[in-house]
Amino acid sequence: MDVKDFNYELPEELIAQDPLEDRSASRLMILDKETGEIRHKVFRDITEELRPGDCLVINNTKVIPARLFGVKEGTGASIEILLLKRRENNIWETLARPGKKAKPGTVLSFGDGLLKGTVVDVAEEGNRLIQFSYEGIFEEILDRLGQMPLPPYITHPLKDKNRYQTVYAKYDGSAAAPTAGLHFTEALLEQIRAKGVEIASVTLHVGLGTFRPVKVEKIEEHHMHSEFYRIEQEEAEKINRARETGHRVIAVGTTSCRTLESAADENGHLEAGSGWTDIFIYPGYRFKCVDALITNFHLPQSTLVMLVSALAGREHILAAYEEAVRERYRFFSFGDAMLIQ
């Protein structure tokens, strides 16, 4: 399957640069995955599409302010670090710009020495392993010095850090937000519960591989990044109960979807646990657990467009995206939403 099969034309002005003041005021496209039929609503009206007994699965990861600006000790040369993955002994896998200034042995200083890092190794794809030293609590220092790692297509500064977090964000660890969840408010979640819909939480810490372009022509040759996930026993039971009673499992976002499909056995049954997943879902994949998906509109030729195409069919997805462009939907992280059911 060719990567160009997942291309579409997107006018640049449709890339949402700022979040809406009201999270739930985004537009919502509803796509019937069997027929390709399209309907248009506002996101807060998603309650009308949910049924008692459905299980809505959210990703409760929390984005860390993973973007650090510092200097190279000795020369004072500026350097930017993006924290990607926590290892042991205060070592993080990072993306360093410019990388040539971050050779093993280089000492970096952030916040006038409040945080220091030593480059200890070069990992795959040129990522740097940096061991940090500091006094106090790392997360507090990061909150003080770091910036939210917004995707490269967002050029406006973020006025409120919390608008790049879901209202249910709980566990630190992501380098990018699970953006389908940004549309939910506490009030909307209460309405959903009141309707008899079960809400289950999983955790998948989103890496920047989400934004990496597919560089091979044949998508089968693409190697996915790995991300850490966890499913607690109580949450697995909620999801299994929905399936066993004939109700739908609706993933909020591609991250929740990938977590469920990684952890499910061939019959769609989930076991509690944690691990790393590099699952790559593209057309031809048979879904084991997920029946429906709430998601945003994704970049052309991206693994995420391939995932939604696996669920709804490539032709249906490309037709829906063409209609979204015609109807002036807002695209990508701060954009509008789609329910595939």
Side-chain angles (χ1 to χ4, degrees):
M1 206 170 294
D2 199 297
V3 68
K4 293 189 181 68
D5 293 338
F6 300 90
N7 195 29
Y8 68 92
E9 295 299 322
L10 178 68
E12 193 172 331
E13 68 268 18
L14 295 185
I15 299 173
Q17 291 294 330
D18 302 289
L20 297 181
E21 193 170 327
D22 176 0
R23 291 173 181 263
S24 63
S26 298
R27 296 168 75 186
L28 176 67
M29 176 184 283
I30 298 155
L31 174 65
D32 186 313
K33 65 185 179 185
E34 304 300 333
T35 67
E37 180 197 352
I38 293 169
R39 292 179 288 127
H40 304 280
K41 287 191 174 181
V42 176
F43 192 84
R44 68 173 70 92
D45 296 329
I46 197 163
T47 50
E48 298 167 4
E49 302 298 317
L50 303 177
R51 307 167 197 154
D54 283 346
C55 185
L56 195 69
V57 184
I58 59 178
N59 181 6
N60 61 12
T61 188
K62 192 172 187 179
V63 186
I64 59 173
R67 199 175 179 194
L68 289 164
F69 295 91
V71 295
K72 182 176 170 183
E73 286 202 345
T75 68
S78 298
I79 194 158
E80 178 186 343
I81 297 295
L82 204 53
L83 304 177
L84 299 178
K85 196 180 293 181
R86 190 195 290 264
R87 306 270 186 109
E88 65 291 325
N89 302 323
N90 289 324
I91 294 174
W92 283 77
E93 184 175 338
T94 73
L95 192 63
R97 284 192 291 233
K100 64 178 182 289
K101 291 182 183 171
K103 295 177 176 150
T106 302
V107 178
L108 308 172
S109 176
F110 307 91
D112 294 325
L114 188 63
L115 179 67
K116 291 196 175 184
T118 302
V119 182
V120 293
D121 204 355
V122 179
E124 59 180 327
E125 297 180 337
N127 293 345
R128 265 51 178 181
L129 298 184
I130 296 179
Q131 185 166 36
F132 289 99
S133 58
Y134 50 89
E135 289 186 10
I137 299 169
F138 183 75
E139 286 74 16
E140 289 181 359
I141 294 169
L142 195 59
D143 198 49
R144 184 170 158 187
L145 299 181
Q147 294 184 13
M148 282 299 190
L150 293 178
Y153 47 75
I154 293 177
T155 57
H156 292 190
L158 184 62
K159 294 171 187 166
D160 178 3
K161 275 186 183 181
N162 287 326
R163 287 303 276 108
Y164 197 56
Q165 300 281 18
T166 62
V167 296
Y168 46 76
K170 189 173 182 182
Y171 298 111
D172 286 334
S174 277
T179 53
L182 295 178
H183 305 284
F184 288 94
T185 63
E186 295 286 6
L188 184 55
L189 290 168
E190 280 307 310
Q191 289 174 31
I192 289 168
R193 289 188 186 97
K195 189 164 183 177
V197 175
E198 188 83 81
I199 298 179
S201 298
V202 298
T203 307
L204 181 133
H205 293 320
V206 189
L208 277 193
T210 298
F211 304 112
R212 284 217 172 102
V214 177
K215 293 180 179 176
V216 293
E217 285 185 19
K218 299 299 176 189
I219 66 172
E220 295 86 351
E221 297 170 8
H222 177 67
H223 176 66
M224 282 290 280
H225 54 290
S226 64
E227 295 167 318
F228 179 80
Y229 74 89
R230 178 184 290 111
I231 304 176
E232 303 291 349
Q233 182 64 40
E234 184 181 349
E235 308 306 308
E237 288 171 4
K238 290 178 186 176
I239 298 160
N240 289 333
R241 190 161 55 241
R243 290 187 55 79
E244 288 158 9
T245 54
H247 294 100
R248 298 181 301 172
V249 173
I250 303 167
V252 177
T254 56
T255 60
S256 298
C257 176
R258 293 178 66 243
T259 302
L260 294 173
E261 293 298 314
S262 297
D265 66 17
E266 287 308 309
N267 299 314
H269 182 84
L270 286 183
E271 294 288 343
S274 62
W276 294 85
T277 179
D278 60 358
I279 189 170
F280 181 19
I281 297 174
Y282 55 88
Y285 179 85
R286 292 186 63 184
F287 286 83
K288 301 174 289 187
C289 184
V290 172
D291 300 300
L293 175 68
I294 297 168
T295 187
N296 281 17
F297 292 88
H298 305 294
L299 278 74
Q301 300 187 25
S302 64
T303 60
L304 303 182
V305 165
M306 294 167 195
L307 185 153
V308 295
S309 296
L311 184 62
R314 186 180 71 91
E315 292 79 10
H316 288 167
I317 288 295
L318 291 180
Y321 274 50
E322 282 179 19
E323 176 143 347
V325 169
R326 279 196 304 273
E327 294 291 328
R328 311 296 288 175
Y329 270 66
R330 299 163 72 249
F331 278 67
F332 305 161
S333 295
F334 287 141
D336 295 317
M338 173 188 276
L339 168 61
I340 302 171
Q341 63 179 4

